[in-house]
Amino acid sequence: KQEVTQIPAALSVPEGENLVLNCSFTDSAIYNLQWFRQDPGKGLTSLLLIQSSQREQTSGRLNASLDKSSGRSTLYIAASQPGDSATYLCAVSGATNKLIFGTGTLLAVQP
Amino acid sequence: EAGVVQSPRYKIIEKKQPVAFWCNPISGHNTLYWYLQNLGQGPELLIRYENEEAVDDSQLPKDRFSAERLKGVDSTLKIQPAELGDSAVYLCASSFGEVSRTPSFGPGTRLTVT
């Protein structure tokens, strides 16, 4: 059974810092891995999707990497801003096309 | 384009009462998902529809939960009777195509059972 773990559970950083969020999964037989952002009282917004054959994806200040063999992904946020404060969730999709989510990392960027 | 619409946004009920949630997916999206998100946890899939057919309901507690998507468009999720442990956020999502694509999520319905 696929299990997805995210570390740390919560993170507080001053504005302008670069930061890394970690995601690990137990079954390397995945089709893709996605990073989502969730703001309080709102649904999830997709940030980046990495196919199993890819190593990384970039969008603006965000960079996500995938090491499928070791079951790890990282989300790198450069020059963090208060508007980046949210919960970040990673999710993997496998043979059943079902998204399996991690427990999330609650990020607070202090102005 | 309009996003996924859910109603109500908040619901407070007493235990043993019934409750229903409604979802209207993005126009043209044939795949519809219902997710359960407990506090401090990631979403967990309850049921997935391809058009009007439930293709994955393995995680749906069928003794008290039911769902329908009669015309392959909007969907209703029902709980009867509700238990204290059902307090959570119920998220609806939709996507186009049978192969899993990045779904678009609605804002969710926050249920509190007292």
Side-chain angles (χ1 to χ4, degrees):
Chain A
K1 178 185 175 184
Q2 177 73 270
E3 293 183 2
V4 181
T5 304
Q6 291 187 244
I7 295 173
L11 180 64
S12 180
V13 300
E15 182 178 3
E17 266 202 13
N18 303 324
L19 60 99
V20 175
L21 307 181
N22 297 290
C23 172
S24 62
F25 46 96
T26 55
D27 186 350
S28 61
I30 63 169
Y31 284 177
N32 59 52
L33 182 144
Q34 301 185 54
W35 284 93
F36 292 86
R37 168 185 174 139
Q38 186 172 30
D39 293 281
K42 298 187 178 180
L44 281 67
T45 301
S46 178
L47 298 173
L48 291 165
L49 182 150
I50 311 176
Q51 300 292 350
S52 61
S53 58
Q54 297 176 319
R55 297 284 292 184
E56 65 177 340
Q57 282 286 339
T58 298
S59 176
R61 295 181 294 107
L62 305 180
N63 176 276
S65 67
L66 173 64
D67 184 342
K68 200 172 79 162
S69 61
S70 66
R72 294 179 183 178
S73 175
T74 60
L75 179 65
Y76 175 82
I77 301 178
S80 59
Q81 303 171 358
D84 295 331
S85 298
T87 296
Y88 290 80
L89 294 155
C90 73
V92 297
S93 175
T96 60
N97 286 329
K98 180 186 298 186
L99 281 176
I100 307 296
F101 285 87
T103 52
T105 293
L106 177 61
L107 172 66
V109 181
Q110 307 300 328
Chain B
E1 97 188 330
V4 177
V5 178
Q6 291 189 248
S7 69
R9 292 295 313 278
Y10 305 91
K11 188 75 176 178
I12 300 174
I13 62 171
E14 294 183 347
K15 62 181 180 181
K16 300 184 181 180
Q17 295 300 306
V19 64
F21 314 125
W22 178 79
C23 172
N24 193 28
I26 292 174
S27 179
H29 281 193
N30 60 322
T31 303
L32 184 145
Y33 312 79
W34 283 103
Y35 285 88
L36 164 69
Q37 186 174 24
N38 288 304
L39 186 64
Q41 302 294 316
E44 299 176 23
L45 181 68
L46 288 173
I47 189 168
R48 174 168 67 99
Y49 282 94
E50 300 288 350
N51 300 302
E52 64 273 11
E53 181 182 0
V55 296
D56 185 353
D57 63 356
S58 58
Q59 299 295 100
L60 189 74
K62 299 181 182 61
D63 57 336
R64 298 184 299 108
F65 286 65
S66 64
E68 60 182 16
R69 193 185 185 199
L70 295 177
K71 297 184 179 179
V73 181
D74 58 344
S75 175
T76 302
L77 178 69
K78 298 178 182 178
I79 308 175
Q80 182 171 10
E83 298 179 351
L84 294 177
D86 296 330
S87 295
V89 175
Y90 292 82
L91 294 166
C92 180
S94 68
S95 64
F96 175 74
E98 293 182 357
V99 177
S100 177
R101 305 194 192 283
T102 299
S104 297
F105 283 82
T109 296
R110 180 174 296 278
L111 173 67
T112 301
V113 182
T114 62

